[in-house]
DNA sequence: AAGCTGGCTGAACATATGTGCAAGGAGCGG
DNA sequence: CCGCTCCTTGCACATATGTTCAGCCAGCTT
């Protein structure tokens, strides 16, 4: 029994690691582990929880060809996008769907993000849900950058967006770069002026260097409007203009039509989200969708080639495949 | 006995995959999953067992720096070998140790072996124990090749060795190449003759192309003699000769001294195991050791530079570090 | 068709695991 | 030194999971 307390790791983490090894690699019962670690069974249970929650234990599903993979294959063939279909029962509510897709994304995200990488992150109910579950993974010299501003007439949006960003930053040990601007400027000229600020330029350059982008979809005219549309960011006249312009959705507050085009949509001139050309520079662009109400929006985003990896609930995936 | 799963996946496997996803990715309880899959909770329990046993679910421990890693670091610094120290309680019996180390190796082996690879495998109690637990992993165009013959005066050894090989082959979907010769020829000349046979040459060439070699250690003069020394492979005169020659152990029935040298050991002329020069050609050479009685043998194997990756129980690891 | 076999199922039971809670201990500021 | 907070622990109980067993069904033989 050596007790040398080494500088690197706390006793607790070390015990958690040993416990995890004994439990997952050697199939001991918690009782047996408790005995080996000279502690109580409950403590072992807690150690293991911690080990899982802190990402010490990494559980993956190796999917050779599963039920959902038929859908995944169809989607790939049709849209050239790597799909991850999340099984969800038909009767699940929209909130359920969102939560369950988000949990799956949160669990798997570590496989996409690593040291020395930059990840761009949007905000909204989808990202919020994901952020609450991200499985931690230690990385070095990596960065999280906010894709679009979150302020509006009533709030700076900092509380909401920065909380989301912070959760990702904590989980990956990454530096977080916030974007403290409103979601939309009132005047396009203000935006242009801002965009000449050195601090802003630095952030935009960072967006240009993204390795991974993570975003949900906005869907203005569906039964379940997204955060942007319900949060007081848009005036009713803006809303009307979107309708007239044939807009079907947005990614990071940049709006697009069914064919994926963004030109001539006035609101985009005032938006702080990244031009799609910038977004498309990221080699991996992960889009998370739950609920069939976002289908029109999804079609648009696919046309705009915004997506390389799609996480989607089973129902919506079916709708996507059947629909077109 | 047939493994039909090609394009279509059996319902059962498909369900297992879905269940695994729901259980491990979405944290549903088995009860909830049973409900979604329209089956009973017990069936879900069984599905999940199957999913784990068949390698559909892959659980890894991401070890940043754990308790055992002190030892691992010391071993690396001193011997330039990547060590995996398996935690085992001090009071564990030798059988326990072997089993637990073997289980750990079996679980992690899939990380070393992949499609289009060739793995060389020895036989003995260690390999036998490992073979009983290998976690399956689907690979293509990969091969398992037997390192040394297993026959002796009484038996062809095929039952024993081929059973071990078969288990690995099944687990990885790999082609198995057996080596149907005795462990030791009676006359060196017979061996030389055999080695000119085309079939044997093919097998030896295969050994020369190994990507991974997996072996335990023999230890002739310890309290717990290894399979080779107790199985009727050696005459007592052979045994005496080993003692006089300063032999401390063997790998795949090729004997070596404390300094790692093999020259001038008569028995090696009759052995069917691979020359160490051949063995060392494999980029990864995984040695599995349990129990401190193999320490002398281990030192010799380290001197001979036979090992790149070492799996060892905690007690033996301590002894290794304290000893020298 | 009857009889057999082997594999699968869910109910009931046996274990194993998760959690609320009260108690104890370390750190800290009076 | 006290009294406070915050964190940890193990117990006891509540849940969740694993396993046994009898019954069922499909496929096959007679």
């Amino acid at each position: 029994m050596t007790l040398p307390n080494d500088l690197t790791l706390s006793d607790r983490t070390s015990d958690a690691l040993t416990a995890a090894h004994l439990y997952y690699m050697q199939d001991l019962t918690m009782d047996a582990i408790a005995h080996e670690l000279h502690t109580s069974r409950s403590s072992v249970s807690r150690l293991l929880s911690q080990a899982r929650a802190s990402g010490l234990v990494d559980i993956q599903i190796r999917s050779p060809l599963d039920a959902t993979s038929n859908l995944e294959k169809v989607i790939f063939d049709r849209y050239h996008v790597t799909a991850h279909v999340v099984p969800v029962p038909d009767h699940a509510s929209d909130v359920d769907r969102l939560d369950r897709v988000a949990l799956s994304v949160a669990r798997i995200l570590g496989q996409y993000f690593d040291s020395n990488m930059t990840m761009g992150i949007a905000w909204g109910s989808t990202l919020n849900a994901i952020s609450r579950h991200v499985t931690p993974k230690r990385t070095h010299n990596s960065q999280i950058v906010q894709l679009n501003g979150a302020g509006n007439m009533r709030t700076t949006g900092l509380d909401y967006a920065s909380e989301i960003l912070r959760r990702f930053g904590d989980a990956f040990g990454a530096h977080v770069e916030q974007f403290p601007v409103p979601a939309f400027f009132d005047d396009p000229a203000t935006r242009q002026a801002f965009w000449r600020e050195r601090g802003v330029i630095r952030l935009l350059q960072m967006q240009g260097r993204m390795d991974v982008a993570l975003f949900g979809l906005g869907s203005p005219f569906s039964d379940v409007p997204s955060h942007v549309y319900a949060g007081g960011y848009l005036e009713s006249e803006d809303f009307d203009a979107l309708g007239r312009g044939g807009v079907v959705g947005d990614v990071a507050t940049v709006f697009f039509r069914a064919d994926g085009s963004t030109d001539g949509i006035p609101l985009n001139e005032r938006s702080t989200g990244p031009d799609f050309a910038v977004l498309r520079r990221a080699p991996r662009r992960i889009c998370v969708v739950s609920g069939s109400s976002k289908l029109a929006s999804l079609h648009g985003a696919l046309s705009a080639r915004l997506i390389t990896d799609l996480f989607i609930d089973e129902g919506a995936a079916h709708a996507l495949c059947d629909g077109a």
Side-chain angles (χ1 to χ4, degrees), chain A:
Chain A
M1 284 303 141
T2 47
L3 310 165
N5 212 347
D6 90 84
L7 304 164
T8 50
L9 217 54
S10 79
D11 275 1
R12 187 172 181 88
T13 311
S14 160
D15 277 356
L17 232 7
T18 308
H21 191 115
L22 293 172
Y23 190 76
Y24 289 108
M25 293 289 149
Q26 297 190 14
D27 290 342
L28 298 208
T29 92
M30 295 190 181
D31 236 337
I33 298 171
H35 195 258
E36 288 195 17
L37 261 44
H38 306 290
T39 180
S40 74
R41 198 183 50 69
S42 353
S43 296
V44 174
S45 171
R46 284 183 276 249
L47 278 177
L48 287 172
S49 298
Q50 183 198 303
R52 282 183 304 251
S54 61
L56 258 42
V57 176
D58 185 22
I59 301 183
Q60 295 183 8
I61 311 281
R62 310 205 306 93
S63 172
L65 252 185
D66 64 353
T68 58
S69 75
N70 287 326
L71 281 171
E72 289 170 2
K73 187 168 182 326
V74 171
I75 293 175
F76 183 82
D77 289 346
R78 196 178 301 167
Y79 302 106
H80 304 286
V81 156
T82 304
H84 298 253
V85 174
V86 178
V88 166
D90 295 337
H91 58 75
S93 73
D94 276 322
V95 183
D96 264 359
R97 283 169 198 278
L98 173 58
D99 262 352
R100 295 174 61 166
V101 175
L103 195 48
S104 296
V105 174
R107 288 285 164 81
I108 215 173
L109 194 58
Q111 292 178 31
Y112 293 87
F113 190 61
D114 221 319
S115 292
N116 306 310
M117 287 182 130
T118 300
M119 174 158 59
I121 293 190
W123 50 265
S125 37
T126 305
L127 267 289
N128 188 30
I130 298 171
S131 73
R132 291 174 185 282
H133 301 289
V134 220
T135 305
K137 163 173 177 172
R138 242 52 263 182
T139 67
H140 307 285
N141 188 35
S142 52
Q143 301 184 311
I144 311 277
V145 56
Q146 185 172 339
L147 284 179
N148 55 333
N152 65 14
M153 291 77 62
R154 295 196 299 274
T155 121
T156 61
L158 281 183
D159 297 340
Y160 178 68
S162 82
E163 184 67 11
I164 295 178
L165 275 268
R166 191 187 55 70
R167 293 203 193 99
F168 283 98
D170 285 357
F172 293 119
H175 175 73
V176 168
E177 200 71 34
Q178 296 194 39
F179 199 0
V181 293
F184 301 99
F185 286 103
D186 290 334
D187 182 346
T190 317
R191 171 175 178 253
Q192 288 173 22
F194 236 88
W195 260 223
R196 287 190 295 269
E197 289 285 316
R198 279 180 305 176
V200 173
I201 287 175
R202 195 174 56 83
L203 189 133
L204 295 177
Q205 286 177 339
M206 208 175 287
Q207 290 183 352
R209 286 194 308 270
M210 283 186 301
D211 300 284
V212 185
L214 179 63
F215 51 87
L217 288 182
S219 165
F221 303 111
S222 76
D223 313 333
V224 190
S226 314
H227 194 104
V228 207
Y229 308 98
Y233 295 86
L234 295 175
E235 311 286 338
S236 65
E237 60 210 74
D238 296 327
F239 212 81
D240 296 343
L242 291 178
R244 284 194 306 275
V247 164
V248 297
D250 79 273
V251 164
T253 52
V254 176
F255 298 86
F256 52 82
R257 303 192 191 82
D259 64 358
S261 64
T262 60
D263 55 289
I265 298 175
L267 203 46
N268 285 344
E269 303 300 315
R270 306 196 279 116
S271 162
T272 54
D275 192 289
F276 285 175
V278 172
L279 199 53
R280 278 193 291 258
R281 216 172 284 161
R284 255 192 208 283
R285 309 185 291 275
I286 305 173
C287 177
V288 182
V289 179
S290 76
S292 302
S293 66
K294 299 213 167 161
L295 225 53
S297 186
L298 176 55
H299 271 114
L302 286 166
S303 301
R305 295 185 301 109
L306 292 184
I307 304 174
T308 66
D309 294 78
L310 174 65
F311 286 79
I312 185 169
D313 69 275
E314 202 170 357
H318 265 115
L320 178 64
C321 292
D322 297 346

